[in-house]
Amino acid sequence: MTASTPGPTVLVLDGDPLLRLGRLTGRARIEHVDASTLAARLPYADVLLVWDVASRAVRDAWPGEGPRPRWVHIASAGVDHVLCPELAASGAVVTNARGVFERPVAEYVAALVLALAKDLPRTWDLQREREWRHREALRVAGTRACVVGSGPIGRTIARTLKALEVTTSIVGRVPRTGIHGPADLDRLMARADWVVAAAPLTEQTYGMFDARRFGVMQPSARFINVGRGQLVVEEALAEALRKRWIAGAALDVFRQEPLGPDSPLWQVPDLLVSPHMSGDTVGCQDELGAQFLALYERWAAGKPLLNVVDKNRGYVPGH
Amino acid sequence: MTASTPGPTVLVLDGDPLLRLGRLTGRARIEHVDASTLAARLPYADVLLVWDVASRAVRDAWPGEGPRPRWVHIASAGVDHVLCPELAASGAVVTNARGVFERPVAEYVAALVLALAKDLPRTWDLQREREWRHREALRVAGTRACVVGSGPIGRTIARTLKALEVTTSIVGRVPRTGIHGPADLDRLMARADWVVAAAPLTEQTYGMFDARRFGVMQPSARFINVGRGQLVVEEALAEALRKRWIAGAALDVFRQEPLGPDSPLWQVPDLLVSPHMSGDTVGCQDELGAQFLALYERWAAGKPLLNVVDKNRGYVPGH
């Protein structure tokens, strides 16, 4: 903290983006805070940059006393971990990292779809056992995917799967050109070989993938979640896999992260677990820093911000 | 064998395609043979259908005495296992399964590229250990691939990688529009993040991926072979991986198949092993049978065959 620096005060929560914010030196007071120091510093901040997607610190600290930052930037696509009712009701503008994660997440989904179709997990198990066992794999081209989530990530996933010749439908909150509404979800899930969850976590999407929905899927189908853990009733998914209602699943996000070593999810049959990394690629930290700086220039110049979250809906409304 | 059936005699080597050839019933004498009975029956056959890509039986039996079939159809893309000098010098027409394996092999290569970029093998190792360890993955879009082999399989691989926004070059025997010649190979390999071997096995391609060629690759690059095992000097690849000259490799084909349990290749660091299955998808046996029947109709009608192998070059010359 350099008290003599003029300009707005920017709180950086749980980040180490010193180098990346170097361009603000002398123009803003950059203060690094963590969950334990956030509440005390919030009243003195003009801007809050939330770096760690897993932190609940803003939800805890925001409802306190005193003035609040005018702008909160969240360096992730989902904003559910930050957007408490008091922040939603406040005058603060909330922005997110739209534009950074679309392509990586879409590639991750394509990687999972292809790995499952080609039975790669089993192949590498057999390699460990030094066993040559030829199988016939699935042809991905011509299969059907249902992508749930019509934001830029869901749409990029759909475009990427289509490039692999997968027949792909998108389901969103509101039907529009090229996007199905919730009324079509069960029918599309029942026909899909791949159901991909990429929706924001909202009241409407909480627990939407439950026993009934896994029940409408085909026994040969696979479920993939790269959205938020809370979209899924995890016990129902585990049960659907154990009972062979569906052929497999891959989860990159969980209700409780990190998944503890005692979680039963590590060993559910045909369930692939990855540690919330679908969007994170080498260089993305720099990209997130550059994105914040570009938004900061607009904010400092009094121009309208981009990637502005609709605080009632819980995501950036779009196209 | 039904001696009373009129029409040509079709030998089926190592296949169980009875159902699929049902349309020939009453029009041809279908005889099933294996490596032990092929030589004795060859002189009485008009057509030889070679079903098993791994069998060397034709190489052993063809050079014998007596007349030979006029047409040999090989139900695979590569023909090296069948095309002995005596068959090449004979009047027999040789055809292959062009058109069946392109898409599956391309999907398999895309699956490997994405799985390596997203570090999926490590993720699943960590799952087994119940360990949550977040890493940053690679973004595939914007990386560079060099596909060696300019036949329909190599070109379909290139098209599929391009659909994933990978900058992709193809190297073939002869430079032409969109295809680099062998003179560009080292330069392209040196710049590539992914080197994909999808060439036919010929005198020119035997052992082309040797210590020198792995030496020109980037330390961050990966090598993938879906062509033929003999394209690669396996000991040199293992050494390149152990010395970290390259970051990883995936082999679907091997000099000796099946790979025995004692092979050192199962445990080379950062080497993924799969049992020659890149082209084999559910339904492909039916597709291969249907393709032979379609060719048979042309042959029986005296029309020119399709997919005719240039027996000097060792592949179907093309576009």
Side-chain angles (χ1 to χ4, degrees):
Chain A
M1 190 180 343
T2 47
S4 59
T5 304
T9 295
V10 177
L11 293 189
V12 181
L13 175 65
D14 287 330
D16 183 22
L18 272 172
L19 278 173
R20 298 173 196 98
L21 301 184
R23 253 168 56 199
L24 298 189
T25 304
R27 299 168 53 200
R29 297 158 49 123
I30 310 285
E31 289 186 32
H32 284 263
V33 293
D34 60 21
S36 69
T37 54
L38 176 64
R41 298 306 305 159
L42 263 188
Y44 307 98
D46 300 285
V47 179
L48 172 61
L49 167 55
V50 182
W51 202 256
D52 182 356
V53 64
S55 171
R56 313 285 291 182
V58 178
R59 282 188 169 271
D60 294 338
W62 191 279
E65 292 296 311
R68 288 294 178 253
R70 287 169 285 153
W71 171 31
V72 177
H73 178 71
I74 305 171
S76 66
V79 300
D80 51 276
H81 57 302
V82 172
L83 202 57
C84 58
E86 295 81 1
L87 170 53
S90 77
V93 176
V94 175
T95 55
N96 81 346
R98 183 180 198 136
V100 173
F101 296 108
E102 286 79 352
R103 187 76 218 151
V105 174
E107 288 182 354
Y108 204 86
V109 170
L112 290 170
V113 163
L114 284 163
L116 288 165
K118 303 310 176 185
D119 206 19
L120 294 183
R122 181 86 187 108
T123 293
W124 298 331
D125 281 347
L126 289 164
Q127 178 175 356
R128 201 169 300 107
E129 297 158 27
R130 296 173 162 261
E131 185 175 342
W132 180 279
R133 197 187 307 166
H134 179 274
R135 291 99 64 212
E136 288 182 347
L138 287 185
R139 185 187 279 241
V140 166
T143 60
R144 286 174 201 273
C146 171
V147 177
V148 182
S150 60
I153 292 180
R155 297 200 309 275
T156 306
I157 291 169
R159 202 167 56 242
T160 304
L161 294 179
K162 282 178 192 168
L164 293 168
E165 302 182 22
V166 176
T167 305
T168 306
S169 307
I170 306 177
V171 178
R173 196 179 61 95
V174 182
R176 53 197 197 273
T177 309
I179 312 278
H180 294 266
D184 293 338
L185 177 59
D186 286 0
R187 184 178 58 82
L188 291 169
M189 278 184 72
R191 297 166 61 189
D193 300 291
W194 316 99
V195 174
V196 182
L201 177 59
T202 66
E203 272 182 39
Q204 288 74 41
T205 63
Y206 185 95
M208 69 182 290
F209 296 102
D210 57 11
R212 194 188 64 73
R213 285 239 160 78
F214 294 124
V216 304
M217 287 175 66
Q218 302 184 84
S220 59
R222 267 84 168 220
F223 176 78
I224 294 172
N225 187 9
V226 289
R228 281 289 182 266
Q230 290 83 352
L231 304 178
V232 175
V233 180
E234 289 170 345
E235 302 72 23
L237 174 61
E239 190 73 357
L241 288 164
R242 282 196 202 95
K243 291 184 172 164
R244 312 289 307 155
W245 289 3
I246 65 174
L251 299 180
D252 188 53
V253 288
F254 301 87
R255 289 186 169 238
Q256 175 88 45
E257 296 181 8
L259 210 60
D262 296 335
S263 169
L265 293 175
W266 294 111
Q267 285 202 318
V268 174
D270 299 304
L271 176 62
L272 301 173
V273 167
S274 57
H276 199 150
M277 58 184 278
S278 77
D280 300 331
T281 48
V282 174
C284 74
Q285 300 280 317
D286 290 342
E287 205 176 334
L288 289 169
Q291 179 180 53
F292 174 74
L293 286 175
L295 287 172
Y296 186 91
E297 298 298 346
R298 295 183 69 96
W299 182 79
K303 292 184 194 164
L305 284 166
L306 307 173
N307 297 2
V308 175
V309 172
D310 180 324
K311 292 189 290 180
N312 293 314
R313 296 197 200 163
Y315 53 87
V316 180
H319 321 294
Chain B
M1 190 180 343
T2 46
S4 59
T5 303
T9 296
V10 177
L11 293 189
V12 180
L13 175 64
D14 288 329
D16 183 23
L18 272 171
L19 279 173
R20 298 172 197 101
L21 302 184
R23 254 167 56 201
L24 299 188
T25 305
R27 300 168 53 201
R29 298 158 47 123
I30 311 285
E31 288 186 33
H32 285 262
V33 293
D34 59 22
S36 70
T37 53
L38 175 64
R41 298 307 306 159
L42 263 188
Y44 307 98
D46 300 285
V47 179
L48 171 62
L49 167 54
V50 182
W51 201 256
D52 182 357
V53 63
S55 170
R56 313 284 292 180
V58 179
R59 282 189 169 269
D60 293 338
W62 191 279
E65 293 295 310
R68 288 294 177 254
R70 288 168 285 153
W71 170 32
V72 177
H73 178 71
I74 305 171
S76 66
V79 299
D80 50 277
H81 56 302
V82 173
L83 202 57
C84 58
E86 295 81 1
L87 170 52
S90 78
V93 176
V94 175
T95 56
N96 81 346
R98 183 180 199 137
V100 173
F101 296 109
E102 286 77 354
R103 187 77 218 151
V105 175
E107 289 181 353
Y108 203 87
V109 170
L112 290 170
V113 164
L114 284 162
L116 288 166
K118 303 309 176 185
D119 207 19
L120 293 183
R122 180 88 187 106
T123 293
W124 297 331
D125 281 347
L126 289 164
Q127 178 175 356
R128 203 169 298 107
E129 298 158 27
R130 296 172 162 261
E131 185 176 341
W132 181 279
R133 196 186 307 166
H134 179 274
R135 292 98 65 211
E136 288 182 346
L138 287 184
R139 185 188 278 241
V140 165
T143 59
R144 287 173 199 272
C146 171
V147 177
V148 181
S150 61
I153 292 180
R155 297 200 308 273
T156 306
I157 292 169
R159 201 167 56 241
T160 304
L161 293 179
K162 282 178 191 168
L164 294 167
E165 302 182 22
V166 176
T167 304
T168 306
S169 308
I170 306 177
V171 178
R173 196 180 61 95
V174 181
R176 54 198 197 273
T177 308
I179 312 277
H180 293 266
D184 293 338
L185 178 58
D186 286 0
R187 183 177 59 82
L188 291 169
M189 279 184 72
R191 296 168 61 187
D193 300 292
W194 316 99
V195 173
V196 182
L201 177 59
T202 66
E203 272 182 39
Q204 288 75 42
T205 63
Y206 185 95
M208 69 182 292
F209 296 101
D210 56 11
R212 193 188 66 72
R213 285 238 160 79
F214 294 124
V216 305
M217 287 174 68
Q218 302 184 84
S220 58
R222 266 84 168 220
F223 176 79
I224 294 171
N225 188 10
V226 289
R228 281 289 184 267
Q230 290 83 353
L231 304 178
V232 175
V233 180
E234 289 170 345
E235 303 72 23
L237 174 61
E239 190 74 357
L241 288 164
R242 282 196 202 94
K243 291 184 172 164
R244 312 289 307 154
W245 290 2
I246 66 175
L251 299 181
D252 188 53
V253 288
F254 301 87
R255 287 184 170 239
Q256 174 88 45
E257 294 180 9
L259 210 59
D262 296 335
S263 168
L265 292 174
W266 293 111
Q267 284 202 318
V268 174
D270 299 304
L271 176 62
L272 301 173
V273 167
S274 58
H276 199 149
M277 58 184 279
S278 77
D280 300 331
T281 49
V282 175
C284 73
Q285 301 280 316
D286 290 343
E287 205 176 333
L288 289 169
Q291 179 180 55
F292 173 74
L293 286 175
L295 288 172
Y296 187 91
E297 297 298 347
R298 296 183 69 96
W299 181 78
K303 292 184 193 163
L305 284 166
L306 306 173
N307 297 3
V308 175
V309 172
D310 180 325
K311 293 189 289 182
N312 294 314
R313 297 196 200 163
Y315 54 87
V316 180
H319 321 291

